[in-house]
Amino acid sequence: QVQLVESGGGLVQAGGSLRLSCAASGRTFSNYNMGWFRQAPGKEREFVAALKRNGNTYYADSVKGRFTVSRDNAKNTVYLQMNSLKPEDTAVYYCAAGGSYYYARTNDYDYWGQGTQVTVSS
């Protein structure tokens, strides 16, 4: 089992920045691919970014160039640095851990955090 706890969400003006953290406990953190997803009201949960065990990173087109995913295995923590935020980035953000080869689908992940709200005002 892996337990994930997100933090760092909040209210920010358009153009601002936030850094989300996801602290993991349980099984060896470095063995998992880590993903970030988000879900806006009335919409499906969508892929945002992933950081695979081999260090490769992947981003949704909508956040490419603005968001950066990173991990600190010593701290069992993965981060999502979000810059140049837009109102359309408003959503609940979830981190996830999984062992699949793939990374962009919700069912590629076995463990999920409870989510943290990000609200971007215009």
Side-chain angles (χ1 to χ4, degrees):
Q1 283 280 53
V2 175
Q3 293 79 41
L4 303 171
V5 178
E6 301 98 334
S7 61
L11 173 64
V12 64
Q13 288 189 330
S17 299
L18 283 174
R19 188 177 80 157
L20 306 183
S21 300
C22 175
S25 60
R27 290 189 175 179
T28 305
F29 175 72
S30 59
N31 289 345
Y32 292 90
N33 299 328
M34 301 300 296
W36 285 97
F37 288 74
R38 66 187 182 187
Q39 189 166 18
K43 295 188 176 181
E44 292 189 354
R45 193 168 298 190
E46 65 175 4
F47 170 74
V48 174
L51 176 47
K52 297 190 75 176
R53 288 167 288 186
N54 61 8
N56 289 347
T57 56
Y58 305 89
Y59 299 93
D61 287 343
S62 59
V63 307
K64 203 170 291 184
R66 299 188 297 123
F67 290 12
T68 303
V69 60
S70 61
R71 68 195 296 166
D72 184 336
N73 287 335
K75 295 183 177 180
N76 284 358
T77 301
V78 64
Y79 304 98
L80 185 68
Q81 178 67 43
M82 306 186 296
N83 298 329
S84 302
L85 282 161
K86 304 175 182 180
E88 51 263 44
D89 294 318
T90 296
V92 177
Y93 283 71
Y94 298 90
C95 73
S100 171
Y101 174 80
Y102 301 100
Y103 56 84
R105 306 169 301 179
T106 55
N107 59 8
D108 293 328
Y109 297 87
D110 304 303
Y111 305 101
W112 292 83
Q114 84 289 349
T116 186
Q117 176 71 46
V118 171
T119 303
V120 184
S121 63
S122 57

